[in-house]
Amino acid sequence: MANVLVIESSARQQGSVSRQLTEQFIAHWQAAHPADRVTVRDLAVNQVPHLDANLLGGWMTPAEQQSDAEQAALALSNTLTDEVLAADVLVLAAPMYNFTIPSTLKAWLDHVLRAGVTFKYTETGPQGLLSGKRAFVLTARGGIYAGGSMDHQEPYLRQALGFIGVHDVSFIHAEGLNLGAEFLEKGLAEAKAQLAQVA
């Protein structure tokens, strides 16, 4: 049995293409792996605080010297990193906002890219500690950006995931969603076809 962690980041609950992709991913995955456990964390419903002084203090201050606010910030960060550590498969649903990822997803990454927990510094540079995991990134984009200079989603997420040791990363892009009915239909059809193969 594998643990699958799904991270939703769309600000929209209704009409969200990335949420549609997530639903299809889960359906295909559970059909192929009925014993696996799927956990969904919705960053729009349960927002993760952005990196602040309390979290930095919680990371850097000895436990006996932490303030109540630092302890609370650290407890949440520990919960988020524990979910990632326990996952065998990561699924990030990432609509494109202003050429990159939603700020809620960036905040989540700021919690889980943690020195000594998900990566460590060595004499030869940083080393990821999450080897052996797979990741799928499901994107929804109004235009067509894959492989172009304005795509700041895929390069950033590949680097962030690779930094913590997750190198087996597959991207499924639903693109051209705001370019008219023909592009919308084509973009969704291509993404759904890829989703049918992931499990």
Side-chain angles (χ1 to χ4, degrees):
M1 182 184 78
N3 291 321
V4 181
L5 176 62
V6 178
I7 304 296
E8 294 276 22
S9 65
S10 174
R12 295 191 296 172
Q13 293 294 317
Q14 304 297 324
S16 166
V17 172
S18 67
R19 291 182 185 276
Q20 293 177 36
L21 299 179
T22 302
E23 289 178 4
Q24 292 200 18
F25 178 96
I26 293 173
H28 288 305
W29 192 273
Q30 289 182 323
H33 309 279
D36 286 3
R37 183 176 69 175
V38 176
T39 301
V40 178
R41 176 169 286 277
D42 192 330
L43 301 177
V45 174
N46 296 300
Q47 293 188 7
V48 172
H50 288 285
L51 186 63
D52 61 13
N54 289 324
L55 182 55
L56 289 174
W59 287 343
M60 299 177 182
T61 305
E64 65 276 7
Q65 299 175 23
Q66 292 171 3
S67 67
D68 290 345
E70 288 171 343
Q71 290 177 4
L74 181 59
L76 174 59
S77 184
N78 287 341
T79 296
L80 298 173
T81 52
D82 285 346
E83 288 177 348
V84 173
L85 291 169
D88 302 292
V89 179
L90 298 173
V91 182
L92 307 183
M96 177 178 276
Y97 292 170
N98 298 318
F99 310 108
T100 185
I101 61 175
S103 63
T104 50
L105 184 55
K106 174 60 167 62
W108 178 82
L109 286 166
D110 285 340
H111 280 262
V112 302
L113 271 66
R114 278 181 59 182
V117 181
T118 56
F119 74 93
K120 66 179 180 180
Y121 291 109
T122 72
E123 292 180 355
T124 58
Q127 176 183 335
L129 300 176
L130 303 186
S131 60
K133 299 182 187 294
R134 298 177 65 190
F136 297 90
V137 181
L138 317 179
T139 76
R141 301 163 165 198
I144 297 175
Y145 298 97
S149 62
M150 290 192 295
D151 180 0
H152 303 293
Q153 276 188 323
E154 182 168 341
Y156 170 68
L157 289 174
R158 281 195 185 280
Q159 180 172 345
L161 291 168
F163 190 77
I164 57 176
V166 182
H167 299 286
D168 185 356
V169 184
S170 299
F171 280 78
I172 296 176
H173 300 299
E175 294 201 299
L177 305 180
N178 293 337
L179 299 180
E182 181 181 347
F183 285 95
L184 171 63
E185 183 177 341
K186 181 175 183 290
L188 287 175
E190 290 178 351
K192 290 177 181 178
Q194 292 180 63
L195 284 169
Q197 304 299 318
V198 296

